[in-house]
């Protein structure tokens, strides 16, 4: 396998190249051009004295391992983990905590994370304070003697508020807090939180990493061997692993991550500027707009603005009319796919949030969230223009 060694790329290799040449892109046994699908639940012990590297698929599977190594490399962490969904990845990370612990969390966090923390973890006696993380002072004020972790989503969901990651991790380290970041919206192409001091990066790989609205998956990457051992114990103990076929499908999707993100982001910038000038729209949320309050901080920590644009149509009636009239986007929950997806947070992703809480967090009844796909931008704009007409 000395030849294989020679194929190792230098750490300076660009992201686009590493996406394709990630280490397991060629099967070393046969030279096959993709990671083999090891569709097996268990592995033969040829010798009881020398147990096989893999022994049972919940504990380890070579196809899933290739995916886990792939995301760890892209995020710059020490070890990756693949879960059956974004929520199982996130809930596994919270299982590192114990009863009596306290968490500080971004207030306009993904609706499912809000539900997990407020209805399930709370029953396990793990308490959460939701704060506006654009203000480090608000985070500091939420600290209690039993605070053990900080969970951040930046840009947040769906109003795309920005948290200064470095400022947050510097503070968290002083108090020995575990820091977790949901990097679903940015992906490692645009934002690599471990380089900014985050301990655990989480993904709903259902979105941009998978990229085709055809699979449900979650990924986690840790920044140390000790955290890796602890999270491995949880993944194996809970058994919430990603299946073999879905692991393979996710690897396939991730190879085109940069090509898709670059294209969609370019369109999203045009869409945000167009919406910002449109008389039917009262407010646009996109970190790439000059009037976005978090733009400078976002630019400091990310290489792009992403492909999600949220905007306020002014009322529930207006939002519903647009949803009924658009012809290009899928009207659906979810984001980050080859096709554009238009969602209505108040009735979809954030339906779990009580109305008053939702309004407090800027998730108004007229708010729509557009995840820009790979359609031609002119068609996307023309479609929205006709949908906005009164
Ligand atoms: C979709 C999503 C999740 C949950 O992921 P699933 O794969 O649906 O379980 C978590 N965080 C963010 C930001 C998401 O968009």
């Amino acid at each position: 396998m000395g030849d294989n060694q020679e194929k190792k790329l230098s750490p300076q290799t660009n992201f686009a190249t590493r996406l394709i040449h990630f280490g397991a892109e060629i099967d070393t046994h046969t030279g096959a051009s993709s990671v083999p699908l090891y569709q097996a639940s268990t592995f033969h012990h040829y010798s009881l004295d020398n147990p096989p590297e893999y022994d049972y698929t919940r504990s380890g599977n070579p196809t899933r391992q290739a995916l886990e190594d792939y995301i760890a490399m892209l995020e710059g962490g020490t070890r990756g983990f693949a879960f059956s969904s974004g929520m199982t990845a996130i809930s596994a990370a919270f299982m590192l905590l114990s009863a009596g612990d306290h968490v500080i969390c971004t207030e306009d966090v993904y609706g499912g994370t809000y539900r997990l923390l407020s209805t399930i973890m709370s029953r396990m006696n793990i308490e959460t304070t939701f704060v506006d993380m654009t203000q480090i002072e608000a985070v500091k004020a939420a600290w209690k003697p039993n605070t053990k972790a900080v969970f951040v989503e930046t840009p947040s969901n769906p109003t795309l508020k920005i948290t200064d990651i470095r400022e947050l991790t510097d503070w968290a380290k002083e108090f020995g807090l575990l820091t977790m970041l949901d990097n679903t919206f940015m992906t490692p192409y645009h934002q690599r939180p471990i380089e900014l001091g985050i301990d655990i990066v989480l993904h709903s790989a259902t979105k941009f990493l998978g990229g085709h609205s055809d699979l449900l998956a979650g990924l986690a990457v840790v920044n140390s061997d000790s955290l890796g051992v602890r999270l491995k114990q949880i993944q194996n103990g809970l058994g919430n692993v990603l299946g073999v076929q879905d692991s393979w499908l996710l690897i396939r999707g991730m190879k085109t991550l940069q090509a898709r993100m670059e294209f969609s982001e370019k369109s999203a910038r045009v869409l945000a500027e167009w919406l910002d000038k449109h008389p039917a729209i009262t407010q646009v949320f996109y970190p790439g707009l000059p009037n976005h309050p978090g733009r400078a901080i976002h630019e400091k920590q990310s290489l792009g603005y992403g492909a999600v644009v949220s905007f306020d149509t002014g009322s529930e009636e207006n939002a519903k009319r647009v949803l009924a009239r658009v012809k290009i986007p899928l009207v659906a929950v979810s984001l980050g796919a080859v096709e554009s997806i238009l969602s209505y947070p108040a009735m979809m992703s954030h339906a779990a949030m009580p109305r008053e809480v939702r309004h407090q967090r800027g998730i108004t009844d007229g708010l729509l969230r557009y995840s820009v796909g790979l359609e031609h931008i002119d068609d996307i704009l023309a479609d929205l223009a006709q949908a906005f007409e009164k």
Side-chain angles (χ1 to χ4, degrees):
M1 299 284 110
D3 293 351
N4 196 39
Q5 206 58 23
E6 281 162 36
K7 279 197 182 293
K8 249 196 158 149
L9 298 173
S10 92
Q12 276 75 46
T13 310
N14 288 294
F15 191 84
T17 309
R18 283 189 283 132
L19 270 178
I20 309 300
H21 302 274
F22 54 93
E25 72 278 9
I26 299 172
D27 172 32
T28 51
H29 295 296
T30 62
S33 61
S34 89
V35 175
L37 248 170
Y38 287 93
Q39 190 66 49
S41 61
T42 192
F43 299 82
H44 184 61
H45 287 56
Y46 281 100
S47 150
L48 291 179
D49 299 329
N50 291 306
E53 184 183 356
Y54 297 97
D55 84 336
Y56 188 63
T57 281
R58 171 162 41 73
S59 314
N61 176 286
T63 310
R64 192 175 79 232
Q65 189 64 51
L67 168 64
E68 293 179 330
D69 294 345
Y70 190 13
I71 189 65
M73 182 268 290
L74 296 178
E75 287 285 5
T78 57
R79 191 163 176 180
F81 298 90
F83 295 93
S84 57
S85 71
M87 285 320 303
T88 50
I90 292 168
S91 55
F94 280 120
M95 289 293 148
L96 292 164
L97 302 178
S98 302
D101 289 351
H102 171 249
V103 182
I104 303 173
C105 180
T106 302
E107 71 176 359
D108 54 342
V109 70
Y110 174 71
T113 307
Y114 175 81
R115 185 193 299 126
L116 169 71
L117 288 166
S118 61
T119 68
I120 302 173
M121 301 306 290
S122 58
R123 210 153 37 68
M124 311 289 155
N125 196 23
I126 293 171
E127 177 206 8
T128 306
T129 304
F130 295 94
V131 302
D132 176 358
M133 283 207 189
T134 62
Q135 309 299 325
I136 188 74
E137 295 312 320
V139 181
K140 291 179 181 172
W143 184 86
K144 300 181 189 194
N146 62 335
T147 303
K148 290 287 161 59
V150 182
F151 187 95
V152 55
E153 208 177 300
T154 180
S156 66
N157 189 353
T159 54
L160 304 162
K161 287 187 190 148
I162 305 301
T163 300
D164 188 323
I165 302 171
R166 177 59 79 183
E167 189 177 52
L168 184 77
T169 56
D170 281 351
W171 172 78
K173 277 198 176 76
E174 276 175 46
F175 289 83
L177 309 180
L178 183 70
T179 50
M180 310 187 236
L181 188 145
D182 184 334
N183 205 26
T184 301
F185 274 40
M186 286 291 107
T187 80
Y189 172 52
H190 278 151
Q191 184 169 279
R192 289 189 281 281
I194 286 176
E195 292 171 3
L196 301 165
I198 289 286
D199 298 315
I200 308 179
V201 177
L202 297 151
H203 282 283
S204 169
T206 311
K207 317 294 167 54
F208 291 103
L209 292 173
H212 295 73
S213 299
D214 55 9
L215 112 117
L216 200 67
L219 295 171
V221 179
V222 297
N223 72 344
S224 73
D225 292 338
S226 58
L227 260 182
V229 169
R230 289 170 65 200
L231 196 57
K232 178 70 192 181
Q233 186 201 25
I234 289 167
Q235 185 195 40
N236 193 35
L238 295 179
N240 47 8
V241 293
L242 187 62
V244 178
Q245 304 231 4
D246 284 345
S247 295
W248 186 89
L249 197 56
L250 181 51
I251 291 173
R252 186 194 215 268
M254 282 164 64
K255 291 178 184 177
T256 55
L257 176 68
Q258 177 162 341
R260 289 182 285 105
M261 280 301 270
E262 226 169 65
F263 188 99
S264 291
E265 199 229 20
K266 206 165 140 224
S267 299
R269 291 189 199 199
V270 177
L271 172 63
E273 275 163 28
W274 181 84
L275 287 167
D276 206 33
K277 291 193 201 96
H278 200 288
I281 301 306
T282 59
Q283 202 176 353
V284 184
F285 305 87
Y286 187 64
L289 283 177
N291 62 11
H292 190 291
R295 181 175 163 144
I297 292 166
H298 184 76
E299 285 175 345
K300 200 176 67 172
Q301 62 195 17
S302 312
L303 301 167
Y305 307 111
V308 177
V309 183
S310 295
F311 55 95
D312 202 327
T313 57
S315 69
E316 178 175 340
E317 188 196 344
N318 289 346
K320 286 183 170 166
R321 195 181 55 247
V322 173
L323 290 164
R325 281 194 189 168
V326 285
K327 297 191 179 86
I328 286 189
L330 203 64
V331 173
V333 175
S334 202
L335 56 112
V338 289
E339 71 278 5
S340 288
I341 301 176
L342 183 59
S343 45
Y344 187 31
M347 289 179 75
M348 295 178 179
S349 56
H350 290 70
M353 214 174 249
R355 194 185 165 92
E356 320 80 72
V357 180
R358 191 160 52 69
H359 282 185
Q360 264 169 26
R361 292 173 194 184
I363 308 165
T364 58
D365 297 332
L367 190 76
L368 293 175
R369 188 187 71 195
Y370 206 112
S371 165
V372 182
L374 302 181
E375 301 91 344
H376 198 291
I377 183 62
D378 293 350
D379 298 327
I380 289 175
L381 299 184
D383 181 45
L384 280 175
Q386 65 81 27
F388 290 162
E389 271 167 30
K390 293 245 162 138

